[in-house]
Amino acid sequence: MDALVMCGGRGTRLDAPTEKPLFEVGGRPMVARVADALAESDAETVHAVVSPHAPETREFAENRDSLSAIETPGEGYVADLQTALDAVEPPVLTAAADLPLLDADAVNAVLRSHSEGSLTVCVPAALKRALGASIDTTFEREGRELAPTGVNVVAEPDTETETMYETYDARLAVNVNRLSDADLAEELL
């Protein structure tokens, strides 16, 4: 299965002097951490999904041997994901570039949990709160409040099977959307 690093957004919530994917956590750009986690996992080929909103990130991706860049118009996450999906064979693992704690073991756990269709990876919102991570989106499932992680498996559009993988893995619970999240990621590294 191929993997996509979603790194073409504007990153407006993170008040940083650089493009969000290039924001450093632990002395390394977040996109490098995520790309390395995917490259070291059982994923086959890793693609960086870039846009005109992040030209330095595109240049960074084009200069890494372990990445190939897929250019999108920068019309938003869903539109950019669709453009990227048109360039690869589904199913495909997607990972947001703002997950600096992601590593190959966490990625492989997601890949092992996938059997067919699409897979949504989520953590309990209580875990994010306990860690002190920001929470932008939650949903209820079977009486539990869950938060999406930024990692998913996307299948063919006509595939109706969709499953959920709930994990308590802190490596998937910290998305760097604010400077406080970057501080938390630094502490947990």
Side-chain angles (χ1 to χ4, degrees):
M1 177 181 312
D2 282 359
L4 302 174
V5 182
M6 301 300 293
C7 54
R10 290 189 166 111
T12 55
R13 293 174 291 186
L14 181 65
D15 185 26
T18 184
E19 294 173 6
K20 182 178 179 181
L22 296 177
F23 184 82
E24 291 191 3
V25 173
R28 294 181 58 218
M30 290 191 296
V31 67
R33 290 182 171 281
V34 173
D36 289 349
L38 295 172
E40 294 165 7
S41 76
D42 293 334
E44 294 169 13
T45 304
V46 181
H47 308 275
V49 180
V50 298
S51 81
H53 302 299
E56 292 172 28
T57 301
R58 178 180 50 252
E59 183 179 335
F60 176 86
E62 290 171 345
N63 289 321
R64 285 183 63 99
D65 292 335
S66 62
L67 284 176
S68 67
I70 297 175
E71 182 71 36
T72 67
E75 296 173 353
Y77 186 91
V78 173
D80 289 354
L81 176 59
Q82 187 56 56
T83 298
L85 291 173
D86 291 342
V88 296
E89 186 71 31
V92 62
L93 178 93
T94 64
D98 64 359
L99 293 164
L101 303 180
L102 192 66
D103 65 16
D105 290 338
V107 173
N108 287 337
V110 171
L111 292 172
R112 282 191 305 273
S113 70
H114 177 259
S115 59
E116 65 177 333
S118 293
L119 178 73
T120 300
V121 182
C122 57
V123 295
L127 173 62
K128 290 180 79 79
R129 287 187 188 97
L131 291 169
S134 66
I135 302 174
D136 292 318
T137 303
T138 65
F139 59 93
E140 291 284 326
R141 182 167 191 236
E142 298 175 3
R144 292 184 320 281
E145 184 184 21
L146 303 173
T149 64
V151 176
N152 299 287
V153 175
V154 181
E156 294 279 354
D158 58 350
T159 305
E160 293 184 23
T161 305
E162 185 170 334
T163 56
M164 187 160 308
Y165 174 59
E166 182 179 343
T167 180
Y168 289 82
D169 192 332
R171 296 171 294 188
L172 293 164
V174 180
N175 299 74
V176 175
N177 290 317
R178 292 168 182 78
L179 292 176
S180 60
D181 295 324
D183 293 340
L184 173 62
E186 292 268 355
E187 290 174 25
L188 295 174
L189 276 177

